[in-house]
Amino acid sequence: MAYRMLHNCIKVRDLQRSLEFYAKALHLHEKRRVQCGQVTLVYLGDEAGSAHELELNYRPEHRDTAYDLGENPVHFAFVADDYEASLAEHRRLGCIAMESAANHIYFVQDPDGYMIEIIPGGHFSITERGKSDED
């Protein structure tokens, strides 16, 4: 039996705002949209044509507060083919949540608080390298 990754799903409070963020910050585009009663599911794909997708789960109920991401919040990782240009663009957009110069990675944060790790092409993430700023 074999498995392959299909998508990751996150709940979003403002679908349009999330679509704009992911388009600007990570160049993700809408591949398809599914309506399940009141729930809208939007599947985003990347420019490279990866099979893996990000599913935005939008429920129209009114929320004044962010979703509780718990003690173990999810994060996603993207490889940037031009890391320095990506870093400059995200600085311009004002969405960088954390930079680790020692590890040559950084994280951006989406409108709902989800963290997205940006890694330069050819490098491993902090967990794969086993190194942190404190080392």
Side-chain angles (χ1 to χ4, degrees):
M1 181 178 312
Y3 297 94
R4 75 177 165 84
M5 294 284 291
L6 185 61
H7 67 260
N8 288 84
C9 174
I10 59 173
K11 288 185 176 181
V12 300
R13 290 185 294 161
D14 183 330
L15 183 57
Q16 190 57 41
R17 183 175 175 203
S18 294
L19 287 169
E20 289 170 7
F21 171 83
Y22 283 101
K24 287 179 186 173
L26 296 168
H27 306 179
L28 298 183
H29 62 277
E30 184 173 330
K31 292 175 71 176
R32 68 186 179 287
R33 187 178 289 230
V34 178
Q35 197 66 41
C36 299
Q38 292 287 323
V39 178
T40 303
L41 306 175
V42 178
Y43 295 87
L44 304 178
D46 62 29
E47 295 174 309
S50 300
H52 193 85
E53 299 171 326
L54 178 60
E55 175 189 315
L56 303 181
N57 179 313
Y58 173 68
R59 297 166 184 269
E61 75 254 8
H62 178 72
R63 288 188 68 100
D64 290 330
T65 59
Y67 286 103
D68 180 0
L69 301 183
E71 292 181 19
N72 185 24
V74 170
H75 85 266
F76 307 96
F78 285 80
V79 173
D81 63 350
D82 186 338
Y83 181 81
E84 295 304 323
S86 177
L87 181 59
E89 175 69 5
H90 290 139
R91 283 182 177 148
R92 187 185 68 73
L93 291 172
C95 60
I96 294 179
M98 186 204 77
E99 287 186 58
S100 176
N103 291 296
H104 209 57
I105 64 169
Y106 66 95
F107 288 81
V108 297
Q109 192 168 27
D110 87 349
D112 290 288
Y114 295 102
M115 300 293 279
I116 301 133
E117 181 179 9
I118 308 298
I119 305 168
H123 289 266
F124 295 104
S125 72
I126 187 172
T127 54
E128 291 167 317
R129 294 191 308 173
K131 186 176 160 189
S132 70
D133 284 337
E134 289 82 37
D135 290 344

